[in-house]
Amino acid sequence: MASVLAWFLRGSTSLPILLTWYASVVGCRLVGIGYARHLVSRGITIKQTRRIILHLVILNSLAGAAWGSLVWIALDHAGVAGSILVMASMAGIAGHAMSMLAPVTPVYIGQAIAMQGVVASKLWLLGMVDTPYRGLAFAITLYAVGLIALARNTHQSIRNTIILRFENVELLELLRVESDNAQLARDKAEQANLTKSKFLAAASHDLRQPVHAQGMFLEVLARSELSDSQRKVLDNARATSQASAEMLNTLLDFSRIDAGVIKPNMRSFRLQPLFNKLETELGQHADFKDIVYRSRETHLAIFSDPALLELMLRNLISNAIRYTERGGILVACRKRGGEAVIEVFDTGIGIAPHLQKEVFREFHQLGNPERDRRKGLGLGLAITEGLARSMRHAVTLASRPDRGSVFRVSVPLAQGAFSEDSFDLPIHLPLQPEAYMAGRRILVIDDDEAVRLGMLQLLSSWGCHCFVAESYDEALQLARSHGPELVISDYRLRERQTGAEIIAALRAELSSELPALIVTGDTAPQRLREATSSGIPLVHKPVSPVQLYHAMVSILMIKEVEPVIGREEETLQPG
């Protein structure tokens, strides 16, 4: 640093004086290095510390005065840029010295007083001619005081650290052993959790394939002529299939939260339409148990993700109905400050205080030791809490055993304009698939034979011209010969290929933006992130025929609307 300053100031200051300053600064540094090497080579004892500190105070005070003398040498003739360079350098040297010398505070205080005293005295002298220099001298003094205080704090921290180091050697060794044991236990727990997640993902995927195919076959069967007894058996089979699908979808919701692929779409909307929808759909479950379902009217509008908030409230209300045998359910909302607090009251079994945190843990259920599948999987509240975290909402619980519970969700109030149609279907679909899908050319890609057959029969029953393939080569051949209007592909295929890759390859080969839909049974977090990042519309197996129909029509309608919008935009161009 001294060399840099000497070089840049050589033209604005007397060269002999500048070189003398340079030699004094470098000399002090060399003496300090030599003294340090001498002490280290001889060894330092406790009896020597006072004498050594005194020597270092003297040596560093001289070094500080040498550095500060540059202000006397250069400030009168250096100009504005040179003055800024000198003062910035003094500040930097002072800060650097503090970090180096703070462990032995008297040594730093000696250097700081010497250096800042020399600098401040020059600035005060200049202030007799130009008053602002006196302000700068005062600021330099405050800066020195601040650095000395910081040095003392640093010194005390280092001293305490050293004391603790020597006092706790045995304790640290014991903690190291305990830490190793804890790390080993944590590694085992993480491995067990990873194994559990992999098993659940694999089991979920393998179960989704036949349940998905089963739904397609049952829908085809429902469209055929059946006797009354056969229709009743079919209805029971469809109800059982739907129950299986709902449990698998609950696992999917939990996996999506765990994977971090749920991205809230926050917007402002009225809350009452959501209350109406939930009461319409869930009130009948309360009626079936002969308990009361009530929701209190609210005029409040909130800021949240409508779909995710609906799933949260659906889980809370379903949970309340499940554990309430007499009395009823009340869903209400009240304003508290800048938030709306949505409350779900029930008169159910209640939850003991020591269990109220446990109920938000995955796969935890109250009063279901036999794991009755009709009581769900124990994931509803875990999903609710995960969704609340993703939207930065707060979920709280108050409960008394045998008296009931109240779950509260705190949501920000809407600001400004808000939507009135958050819970309406975005597209009005024809009620009968044949009315819109007849004659459509659909290419299905899936490596599961049962799924291919189920999709073929279902889409054919809708009047589609359906072609099925299990690999890219087959899909490319069919695409070239039939020109599909829509591709429906599984995500994980054979030979480590993915549906997203095959769709991209088909689009490149056909030189068109081929409409596509991915239908996946994967729930592994990494797979979900990969599939979501592809940008292709995604639905999860088992997909009900209604869901599949809605997804297909939505994609095809958007594709058909785009050219019309493009032509309208061209028409509206100037000229």
mmCIF file of all heavy atoms in Angstrom, residues 514-561:
data_model
loop_
_atom_site.group_PDB
_atom_site.id
_atom_site.type_symbol
_atom_site.label_atom_id
_atom_site.label_comp_id
_atom_site.label_asym_id
_atom_site.label_seq_id
_atom_site.Cartn_x
_atom_site.Cartn_y
_atom_site.Cartn_z
ATOM 1 N N LEU A 514 -47.070 -29.468 -31.669
ATOM 2 C CA LEU A 514 -48.079 -30.501 -31.480
ATOM 3 C C LEU A 514 -48.677 -30.405 -30.080
ATOM 4 O O LEU A 514 -47.952 -30.460 -29.084
ATOM 5 C CB LEU A 514 -47.426 -31.873 -31.687
ATOM 6 C CG LEU A 514 -48.326 -33.101 -31.644
ATOM 7 C CD1 LEU A 514 -49.367 -33.048 -32.752
ATOM 8 C CD2 LEU A 514 -47.480 -34.362 -31.758
ATOM 9 N N PRO A 515 -50.014 -30.253 -29.932
ATOM 10 C CA PRO A 515 -50.624 -30.222 -28.590
ATOM 11 C C PRO A 515 -50.335 -31.527 -27.853
ATOM 12 O O PRO A 515 -50.350 -32.608 -28.464
ATOM 13 C CB PRO A 515 -52.117 -30.053 -28.879
ATOM 14 C CG PRO A 515 -52.180 -29.470 -30.253
ATOM 15 C CD PRO A 515 -51.017 -30.036 -30.999
ATOM 16 N N ALA A 516 -50.061 -31.417 -26.550
ATOM 17 C CA ALA A 516 -49.660 -32.609 -25.810
ATOM 18 C C ALA A 516 -50.127 -32.525 -24.370
ATOM 19 O O ALA A 516 -50.362 -31.446 -23.824
ATOM 20 C CB ALA A 516 -48.143 -32.782 -25.864
ATOM 21 N N LEU A 517 -50.242 -33.698 -23.764
ATOM 22 C CA LEU A 517 -50.632 -33.829 -22.367
ATOM 23 C C LEU A 517 -49.817 -34.964 -21.771
ATOM 24 O O LEU A 517 -49.692 -36.038 -22.376
ATOM 25 C CB LEU A 517 -52.132 -34.143 -22.264
ATOM 26 C CG LEU A 517 -52.674 -34.478 -20.873
ATOM 27 C CD1 LEU A 517 -52.615 -33.252 -19.965
ATOM 28 C CD2 LEU A 517 -54.105 -35.008 -20.967
ATOM 29 N N ILE A 518 -49.229 -34.728 -20.602
ATOM 30 C CA ILE A 518 -48.501 -35.783 -19.891
ATOM 31 C C ILE A 518 -49.396 -36.329 -18.788
ATOM 32 O O ILE A 518 -49.970 -35.568 -18.008
ATOM 33 C CB ILE A 518 -47.179 -35.255 -19.303
ATOM 34 C CG1 ILE A 518 -46.183 -34.959 -20.431
ATOM 35 C CG2 ILE A 518 -46.576 -36.255 -18.325
ATOM 36 C CD1 ILE A 518 -44.868 -34.408 -19.947
ATOM 37 N N VAL A 519 -49.502 -37.649 -18.733
ATOM 38 C CA VAL A 519 -50.251 -38.336 -17.683
ATOM 39 C C VAL A 519 -49.251 -39.211 -16.944
ATOM 40 O O VAL A 519 -48.705 -40.143 -17.522
ATOM 41 C CB VAL A 519 -51.395 -39.190 -18.265
ATOM 42 C CG1 VAL A 519 -52.195 -39.832 -17.137
ATOM 43 C CG2 VAL A 519 -52.295 -38.360 -19.152
ATOM 44 N N THR A 520 -48.974 -38.894 -15.693
ATOM 45 C CA THR A 520 -47.916 -39.601 -14.979
ATOM 46 C C THR A 520 -48.423 -40.230 -13.693
ATOM 47 O O THR A 520 -49.340 -39.713 -13.055
ATOM 48 C CB THR A 520 -46.751 -38.644 -14.650
ATOM 49 O OG1 THR A 520 -45.732 -39.364 -13.969
ATOM 50 C CG2 THR A 520 -47.208 -37.485 -13.775
ATOM 51 N N GLY A 521 -47.808 -41.342 -13.343
ATOM 52 C CA GLY A 521 -48.082 -41.980 -12.071
ATOM 53 C C GLY A 521 -46.963 -41.772 -11.074
ATOM 54 O O GLY A 521 -46.999 -42.305 -9.966
ATOM 55 N N ASP A 522 -45.953 -40.988 -11.457
ATOM 56 C CA ASP A 522 -44.802 -40.739 -10.574
ATOM 57 C C ASP A 522 -45.170 -39.765 -9.468
ATOM 58 O O ASP A 522 -45.834 -38.753 -9.713
ATOM 59 C CB ASP A 522 -43.628 -40.165 -11.375
ATOM 60 C CG ASP A 522 -42.756 -41.260 -11.958
ATOM 61 O OD1 ASP A 522 -42.245 -42.066 -11.189
ATOM 62 O OD2 ASP A 522 -42.601 -41.291 -13.192
ATOM 63 N N THR A 523 -44.689 -40.051 -8.254
ATOM 64 C CA THR A 523 -44.859 -39.121 -7.136
ATOM 65 C C THR A 523 -43.532 -38.817 -6.464
ATOM 66 O O THR A 523 -43.505 -38.112 -5.457
ATOM 67 C CB THR A 523 -45.829 -39.702 -6.084
ATOM 68 O OG1 THR A 523 -45.320 -40.962 -5.617
ATOM 69 C CG2 THR A 523 -47.213 -39.894 -6.663
ATOM 70 N N ALA A 524 -42.428 -39.376 -6.978
ATOM 71 C CA ALA A 524 -41.117 -39.073 -6.395
ATOM 72 C C ALA A 524 -40.820 -37.585 -6.591
ATOM 73 O O ALA A 524 -41.058 -37.041 -7.678
ATOM 74 C CB ALA A 524 -40.028 -39.914 -7.060
ATOM 75 N N PRO A 525 -40.313 -36.903 -5.552
ATOM 76 C CA PRO A 525 -40.081 -35.453 -5.652
ATOM 77 C C PRO A 525 -39.262 -35.042 -6.868
ATOM 78 O O PRO A 525 -39.612 -34.098 -7.561
ATOM 79 C CB PRO A 525 -39.355 -35.127 -4.336
ATOM 80 C CG PRO A 525 -39.855 -36.160 -3.372
ATOM 81 C CD PRO A 525 -40.026 -37.400 -4.194
ATOM 82 N N GLN A 526 -38.164 -35.771 -7.151
ATOM 83 C CA GLN A 526 -37.317 -35.393 -8.279
ATOM 84 C C GLN A 526 -38.078 -35.526 -9.590
ATOM 85 O O GLN A 526 -37.978 -34.677 -10.480
ATOM 86 C CB GLN A 526 -36.053 -36.263 -8.288
ATOM 87 C CG GLN A 526 -35.088 -35.951 -9.429
ATOM 88 C CD GLN A 526 -34.565 -34.529 -9.363
ATOM 89 O OE1 GLN A 526 -34.412 -33.962 -8.280
ATOM 90 N NE2 GLN A 526 -34.304 -33.928 -10.513
ATOM 91 N N ARG A 527 -38.847 -36.617 -9.728
ATOM 92 C CA ARG A 527 -39.638 -36.823 -10.947
ATOM 93 C C ARG A 527 -40.688 -35.721 -11.113
ATOM 94 O O ARG A 527 -40.929 -35.235 -12.217
ATOM 95 C CB ARG A 527 -40.320 -38.190 -10.896
ATOM 96 C CG ARG A 527 -39.366 -39.357 -10.993
ATOM 97 C CD ARG A 527 -38.917 -39.581 -12.412
ATOM 98 N NE ARG A 527 -38.180 -40.823 -12.551
ATOM 99 C CZ ARG A 527 -37.757 -41.315 -13.702
ATOM 100 N NH1 ARG A 527 -37.986 -40.644 -14.822
ATOM 101 N NH2 ARG A 527 -37.094 -42.436 -13.751
ATOM 102 N N LEU A 528 -41.324 -35.346 -10.012
ATOM 103 C CA LEU A 528 -42.337 -34.297 -10.094
ATOM 104 C C LEU A 528 -41.725 -32.977 -10.546
ATOM 105 O O LEU A 528 -42.311 -32.256 -11.360
ATOM 106 C CB LEU A 528 -43.004 -34.116 -8.732
ATOM 107 C CG LEU A 528 -43.959 -35.241 -8.291
ATOM 108 C CD1 LEU A 528 -44.455 -34.979 -6.886
ATOM 109 C CD2 LEU A 528 -45.130 -35.365 -9.248
ATOM 110 N N ARG A 529 -40.533 -32.654 -10.016
ATOM 111 C CA ARG A 529 -39.874 -31.412 -10.436
ATOM 112 C C ARG A 529 -39.524 -31.456 -11.920
ATOM 113 O O ARG A 529 -39.682 -30.470 -12.649
ATOM 114 C CB ARG A 529 -38.631 -31.172 -9.579
ATOM 115 C CG ARG A 529 -38.941 -30.685 -8.165
ATOM 116 C CD ARG A 529 -37.687 -30.244 -7.448
ATOM 117 N NE ARG A 529 -36.864 -31.365 -7.055
ATOM 118 C CZ ARG A 529 -36.941 -31.968 -5.872
ATOM 119 N NH1 ARG A 529 -37.799 -31.530 -4.967
ATOM 120 N NH2 ARG A 529 -36.152 -32.978 -5.564
ATOM 121 N N GLU A 530 -39.013 -32.613 -12.375
ATOM 122 C CA GLU A 530 -38.646 -32.747 -13.789
ATOM 123 C C GLU A 530 -39.880 -32.595 -14.680
ATOM 124 O O GLU A 530 -39.845 -31.876 -15.692
ATOM 125 C CB GLU A 530 -37.991 -34.109 -14.029
ATOM 126 C CG GLU A 530 -36.620 -34.275 -13.392
ATOM 127 C CD GLU A 530 -36.107 -35.695 -13.546
ATOM 128 O OE1 GLU A 530 -36.808 -36.513 -14.178
ATOM 129 O OE2 GLU A 530 -35.014 -35.996 -13.035
ATOM 130 N N ALA A 531 -40.954 -33.308 -14.334
ATOM 131 C CA ALA A 531 -42.164 -33.268 -15.158
ATOM 132 C C ALA A 531 -42.767 -31.872 -15.193
ATOM 133 O O ALA A 531 -43.197 -31.388 -16.249
ATOM 134 C CB ALA A 531 -43.181 -34.285 -14.646
ATOM 135 N N THR A 532 -42.793 -31.205 -14.045
ATOM 136 C CA THR A 532 -43.372 -29.864 -13.978
ATOM 137 C C THR A 532 -42.563 -28.873 -14.794
ATOM 138 O O THR A 532 -43.120 -27.983 -15.456
ATOM 139 C CB THR A 532 -43.458 -29.397 -12.516
ATOM 140 O OG1 THR A 532 -44.223 -30.345 -11.765
ATOM 141 C CG2 THR A 532 -44.120 -28.036 -12.417
ATOM 142 N N SER A 533 -41.226 -29.028 -14.779
ATOM 143 C CA SER A 533 -40.367 -28.075 -15.489
ATOM 144 C C SER A 533 -40.447 -28.217 -17.006
ATOM 145 O O SER A 533 -39.960 -27.347 -17.724
ATOM 146 C CB SER A 533 -38.901 -28.252 -15.044
ATOM 147 O OG SER A 533 -38.418 -29.539 -15.412
ATOM 148 N N SER A 534 -41.057 -29.288 -17.510
ATOM 149 C CA SER A 534 -41.147 -29.471 -18.959
ATOM 150 C C SER A 534 -42.065 -28.442 -19.615
ATOM 151 O O SER A 534 -41.960 -28.186 -20.813
ATOM 152 C CB SER A 534 -41.652 -30.884 -19.275
ATOM 153 O OG SER A 534 -43.017 -31.023 -18.899
ATOM 154 N N GLY A 535 -42.989 -27.845 -18.842
ATOM 155 C CA GLY A 535 -43.905 -26.857 -19.398
ATOM 156 C C GLY A 535 -45.104 -27.458 -20.113
ATOM 157 O O GLY A 535 -45.973 -26.726 -20.592
ATOM 158 N N ILE A 536 -45.190 -28.785 -20.199
ATOM 159 C CA ILE A 536 -46.311 -29.463 -20.850
ATOM 160 C C ILE A 536 -47.403 -29.697 -19.811
ATOM 161 O O ILE A 536 -47.099 -30.076 -18.683
ATOM 162 C CB ILE A 536 -45.853 -30.802 -21.462
ATOM 163 C CG1 ILE A 536 -44.735 -30.553 -22.482
ATOM 164 C CG2 ILE A 536 -47.014 -31.536 -22.113
ATOM 165 C CD1 ILE A 536 -44.087 -31.821 -22.993
ATOM 166 N N PRO A 537 -48.682 -29.469 -20.139
ATOM 167 C CA PRO A 537 -49.754 -29.732 -19.176
ATOM 168 C C PRO A 537 -49.636 -31.130 -18.583
ATOM 169 O O PRO A 537 -49.326 -32.095 -19.287
ATOM 170 C CB PRO A 537 -51.025 -29.572 -20.011
ATOM 171 C CG PRO A 537 -50.629 -28.620 -21.099
ATOM 172 C CD PRO A 537 -49.194 -28.931 -21.417
ATOM 173 N N LEU A 538 -49.904 -31.228 -17.294
ATOM 174 C CA LEU A 538 -49.613 -32.459 -16.554
ATOM 175 C C LEU A 538 -50.813 -32.838 -15.696
ATOM 176 O O LEU A 538 -51.374 -32.000 -14.993
ATOM 177 C CB LEU A 538 -48.379 -32.214 -15.668
ATOM 178 C CG LEU A 538 -47.889 -33.345 -14.773
ATOM 179 C CD1 LEU A 538 -47.243 -34.435 -15.614
ATOM 180 C CD2 LEU A 538 -46.875 -32.807 -13.761
ATOM 181 N N VAL A 539 -51.221 -34.095 -15.778
ATOM 182 C CA VAL A 539 -52.223 -34.647 -14.857
ATOM 183 C C VAL A 539 -51.657 -35.935 -14.277
ATOM 184 O O VAL A 539 -50.752 -36.548 -14.850
ATOM 185 C CB VAL A 539 -53.570 -34.912 -15.556
ATOM 186 C CG1 VAL A 539 -54.246 -33.620 -15.962
ATOM 187 C CG2 VAL A 539 -53.383 -35.817 -16.771
ATOM 188 N N HIS A 540 -52.199 -36.342 -13.136
ATOM 189 C CA HIS A 540 -51.623 -37.458 -12.406
ATOM 190 C C HIS A 540 -52.575 -38.653 -12.374
ATOM 191 O O HIS A 540 -53.766 -38.504 -12.104
ATOM 192 C CB HIS A 540 -51.296 -37.027 -10.977
ATOM 193 C CG HIS A 540 -50.254 -35.949 -10.910
ATOM 194 N ND1 HIS A 540 -48.907 -36.212 -10.897
ATOM 195 C CD2 HIS A 540 -50.371 -34.610 -10.873
ATOM 196 C CE1 HIS A 540 -48.240 -35.069 -10.839
ATOM 197 N NE2 HIS A 540 -49.111 -34.086 -10.832
ATOM 198 N N LYS A 541 -52.007 -39.811 -12.640
ATOM 199 C CA LYS A 541 -52.769 -41.048 -12.537
ATOM 200 C C LYS A 541 -53.064 -41.329 -11.066
ATOM 201 O O LYS A 541 -52.250 -41.011 -10.207
ATOM 202 C CB LYS A 541 -51.975 -42.211 -13.116
ATOM 203 C CG LYS A 541 -51.656 -42.099 -14.595
ATOM 204 C CD LYS A 541 -50.783 -43.263 -15.045
ATOM 205 C CE LYS A 541 -50.409 -43.142 -16.519
ATOM 206 N NZ LYS A 541 -49.514 -44.231 -16.958
ATOM 207 N N PRO A 542 -54.218 -41.933 -10.777
ATOM 208 C CA PRO A 542 -55.283 -42.305 -11.716
ATOM 209 C C PRO A 542 -56.118 -41.094 -12.095
ATOM 210 O O PRO A 542 -56.560 -40.339 -11.229
ATOM 211 C CB PRO A 542 -56.108 -43.316 -10.915
ATOM 212 C CG PRO A 542 -55.873 -42.931 -9.493
ATOM 213 C CD PRO A 542 -54.484 -42.393 -9.405
ATOM 214 N N VAL A 543 -56.317 -40.914 -13.386
ATOM 215 C CA VAL A 543 -57.116 -39.805 -13.911
ATOM 216 C C VAL A 543 -58.518 -40.326 -14.198
ATOM 217 O O VAL A 543 -58.681 -41.318 -14.917
ATOM 218 C CB VAL A 543 -56.496 -39.246 -15.204
ATOM 219 C CG1 VAL A 543 -57.282 -38.037 -15.683
ATOM 220 C CG2 VAL A 543 -55.043 -38.894 -14.988
ATOM 221 N N SER A 544 -59.510 -39.657 -13.644
ATOM 222 C CA SER A 544 -60.882 -40.062 -13.938
ATOM 223 C C SER A 544 -61.203 -39.671 -15.376
ATOM 224 O O SER A 544 -60.600 -38.738 -15.933
ATOM 225 C CB SER A 544 -61.864 -39.380 -12.984
ATOM 226 O OG SER A 544 -61.953 -37.993 -13.277
ATOM 227 N N PRO A 545 -62.123 -40.365 -16.012
ATOM 228 C CA PRO A 545 -62.500 -39.986 -17.379
ATOM 229 C C PRO A 545 -62.933 -38.524 -17.487
ATOM 230 O O PRO A 545 -62.622 -37.863 -18.482
ATOM 231 C CB PRO A 545 -63.657 -40.943 -17.690
ATOM 232 C CG PRO A 545 -63.365 -42.146 -16.859
ATOM 233 C CD PRO A 545 -62.773 -41.621 -15.589
ATOM 234 N N VAL A 546 -63.624 -38.013 -16.470
ATOM 235 C CA VAL A 546 -64.054 -36.609 -16.514
ATOM 236 C C VAL A 546 -62.840 -35.688 -16.501
ATOM 237 O O VAL A 546 -62.767 -34.717 -17.269
ATOM 238 C CB VAL A 546 -64.984 -36.301 -15.322
ATOM 239 C CG1 VAL A 546 -65.299 -34.806 -15.254
ATOM 240 C CG2 VAL A 546 -66.274 -37.105 -15.443
ATOM 241 N N GLN A 547 -61.874 -35.976 -15.631
ATOM 242 C CA GLN A 547 -60.658 -35.158 -15.585
ATOM 243 C C GLN A 547 -59.901 -35.218 -16.904
ATOM 244 O O GLN A 547 -59.417 -34.198 -17.403
ATOM 245 C CB GLN A 547 -59.747 -35.646 -14.455
ATOM 246 C CG GLN A 547 -60.267 -35.369 -13.055
ATOM 247 C CD GLN A 547 -59.375 -36.001 -11.996
ATOM 248 O OE1 GLN A 547 -58.935 -37.140 -12.135
ATOM 249 N NE2 GLN A 547 -59.117 -35.257 -10.940
ATOM 250 N N LEU A 548 -59.797 -36.414 -17.453
ATOM 251 C CA LEU A 548 -59.091 -36.568 -18.728
ATOM 252 C C LEU A 548 -59.804 -35.784 -19.822
ATOM 253 O O LEU A 548 -59.151 -35.088 -20.626
ATOM 254 C CB LEU A 548 -59.016 -38.051 -19.089
ATOM 255 C CG LEU A 548 -58.325 -38.378 -20.410
ATOM 256 C CD1 LEU A 548 -56.854 -37.985 -20.349
ATOM 257 C CD2 LEU A 548 -58.468 -39.871 -20.746
ATOM 258 N N TYR A 549 -61.115 -35.875 -19.854
ATOM 259 C CA TYR A 549 -61.896 -35.158 -20.864
ATOM 260 C C TYR A 549 -61.696 -33.647 -20.736
ATOM 261 O O TYR A 549 -61.452 -32.951 -21.717
ATOM 262 C CB TYR A 549 -63.367 -35.529 -20.701
ATOM 263 C CG TYR A 549 -64.320 -34.725 -21.551
ATOM 264 C CD1 TYR A 549 -64.173 -34.659 -22.936
ATOM 265 C CD2 TYR A 549 -65.368 -34.025 -20.964
ATOM 266 C CE1 TYR A 549 -65.057 -33.921 -23.709
ATOM 267 C CE2 TYR A 549 -66.264 -33.289 -21.730
ATOM 268 C CZ TYR A 549 -66.096 -33.239 -23.100
ATOM 269 O OH TYR A 549 -66.962 -32.500 -23.862
ATOM 270 N N HIS A 550 -61.763 -33.132 -19.505
ATOM 271 C CA HIS A 550 -61.570 -31.695 -19.293
ATOM 272 C C HIS A 550 -60.184 -31.258 -19.752
ATOM 273 O O HIS A 550 -60.032 -30.219 -20.398
ATOM 274 C CB HIS A 550 -61.756 -31.365 -17.815
ATOM 275 C CG HIS A 550 -63.188 -31.321 -17.389
ATOM 276 N ND1 HIS A 550 -63.601 -30.759 -16.205
ATOM 277 C CD2 HIS A 550 -64.316 -31.772 -17.994
ATOM 278 C CE1 HIS A 550 -64.918 -30.858 -16.104
ATOM 279 N NE2 HIS A 550 -65.372 -31.485 -17.179
ATOM 280 N N ALA A 551 -59.162 -32.047 -19.395
ATOM 281 C CA ALA A 551 -57.796 -31.677 -19.772
ATOM 282 C C ALA A 551 -57.623 -31.679 -21.286
ATOM 283 O O ALA A 551 -57.034 -30.753 -21.863
ATOM 284 C CB ALA A 551 -56.800 -32.637 -19.120
ATOM 285 N N MET A 552 -58.161 -32.701 -21.967
ATOM 286 C CA MET A 552 -58.022 -32.790 -23.419
ATOM 287 C C MET A 552 -58.745 -31.639 -24.123
ATOM 288 O O MET A 552 -58.188 -30.986 -25.016
ATOM 289 C CB MET A 552 -58.565 -34.139 -23.902
ATOM 290 C CG MET A 552 -57.747 -35.339 -23.452
ATOM 291 S SD MET A 552 -58.544 -36.918 -23.851
ATOM 292 C CE MET A 552 -58.589 -36.853 -25.640
ATOM 293 N N VAL A 553 -59.964 -31.362 -23.688
ATOM 294 C CA VAL A 553 -60.740 -30.304 -24.333
ATOM 295 C C VAL A 553 -60.091 -28.947 -24.095
ATOM 296 O O VAL A 553 -60.036 -28.105 -25.002
ATOM 297 C CB VAL A 553 -62.195 -30.313 -23.815
ATOM 298 C CG1 VAL A 553 -62.961 -29.119 -24.361
ATOM 299 C CG2 VAL A 553 -62.882 -31.603 -24.231
ATOM 300 N N SER A 554 -59.574 -28.722 -22.892
ATOM 301 C CA SER A 554 -58.917 -27.446 -22.592
ATOM 302 C C SER A 554 -57.736 -27.215 -23.520
ATOM 303 O O SER A 554 -57.561 -26.124 -24.072
ATOM 304 C CB SER A 554 -58.453 -27.423 -21.131
ATOM 305 O OG SER A 554 -59.550 -27.539 -20.252
ATOM 306 N N ILE A 555 -56.919 -28.250 -23.728
ATOM 307 C CA ILE A 555 -55.739 -28.112 -24.597
ATOM 308 C C ILE A 555 -56.166 -27.891 -26.036
ATOM 309 O O ILE A 555 -55.638 -27.014 -26.738
ATOM 310 C CB ILE A 555 -54.850 -29.358 -24.476
ATOM 311 C CG1 ILE A 555 -54.257 -29.443 -23.069
ATOM 312 C CG2 ILE A 555 -53.728 -29.327 -25.516
ATOM 313 C CD1 ILE A 555 -53.541 -30.745 -22.793
ATOM 314 N N LEU A 556 -57.140 -28.660 -26.503
ATOM 315 C CA LEU A 556 -57.565 -28.526 -27.893
ATOM 316 C C LEU A 556 -58.251 -27.186 -28.146
ATOM 317 O O LEU A 556 -58.058 -26.570 -29.207
ATOM 318 C CB LEU A 556 -58.514 -29.672 -28.253
ATOM 319 C CG LEU A 556 -57.847 -31.059 -28.335
ATOM 320 C CD1 LEU A 556 -58.899 -32.148 -28.450
ATOM 321 C CD2 LEU A 556 -56.865 -31.121 -29.509
ATOM 322 N N MET A 557 -59.048 -26.709 -27.194
ATOM 323 C CA MET A 557 -59.715 -25.414 -27.362
ATOM 324 C C MET A 557 -58.695 -24.286 -27.437
ATOM 325 O O MET A 557 -58.815 -23.378 -28.262
ATOM 326 C CB MET A 557 -60.690 -25.168 -26.210
ATOM 327 C CG MET A 557 -62.018 -25.878 -26.363
ATOM 328 S SD MET A 557 -63.196 -25.363 -25.088
ATOM 329 C CE MET A 557 -64.699 -26.129 -25.707
ATOM 330 N N ILE A 558 -57.684 -24.340 -26.567
ATOM 331 C CA ILE A 558 -56.645 -23.305 -26.602
ATOM 332 C C ILE A 558 -55.937 -23.319 -27.935
ATOM 333 O O ILE A 558 -55.660 -22.277 -28.530
ATOM 334 C CB ILE A 558 -55.652 -23.534 -25.444
ATOM 335 C CG1 ILE A 558 -56.334 -23.247 -24.116
ATOM 336 C CG2 ILE A 558 -54.409 -22.663 -25.610
ATOM 337 C CD1 ILE A 558 -55.494 -23.609 -22.906
ATOM 338 N N LYS A 559 -55.628 -24.510 -28.451
ATOM 339 C CA LYS A 559 -54.934 -24.616 -29.746
ATOM 340 C C LYS A 559 -55.800 -24.062 -30.863
ATOM 341 O O LYS A 559 -55.291 -23.439 -31.811
ATOM 342 C CB LYS A 559 -54.576 -26.084 -30.009
ATOM 343 C CG LYS A 559 -53.709 -26.278 -31.237
ATOM 344 C CD LYS A 559 -52.354 -25.616 -31.068
ATOM 345 C CE LYS A 559 -51.472 -25.857 -32.282
ATOM 346 N NZ LYS A 559 -50.180 -25.145 -32.172
ATOM 347 N N GLU A 560 -57.127 -24.261 -30.773
ATOM 348 C CA GLU A 560 -58.008 -23.788 -31.838
ATOM 349 C C GLU A 560 -58.237 -22.285 -31.755
ATOM 350 O O GLU A 560 -58.444 -21.620 -32.756
ATOM 351 C CB GLU A 560 -59.348 -24.522 -31.759
ATOM 352 C CG GLU A 560 -59.227 -26.004 -32.135
ATOM 353 C CD GLU A 560 -60.472 -26.793 -31.778
ATOM 354 O OE1 GLU A 560 -61.367 -26.184 -31.147
ATOM 355 O OE2 GLU A 560 -60.545 -27.985 -32.105
ATOM 356 N N VAL A 561 -58.169 -21.732 -30.531
ATOM 357 C CA VAL A 561 -58.397 -20.301 -30.361
ATOM 358 C C VAL A 561 -57.189 -19.487 -30.814
ATOM 359 O O VAL A 561 -57.321 -18.385 -31.331
ATOM 360 C CB VAL A 561 -58.740 -19.993 -28.881
ATOM 361 C CG1 VAL A 561 -58.675 -18.501 -28.607
ATOM 362 C CG2 VAL A 561 -60.124 -20.527 -28.562
#
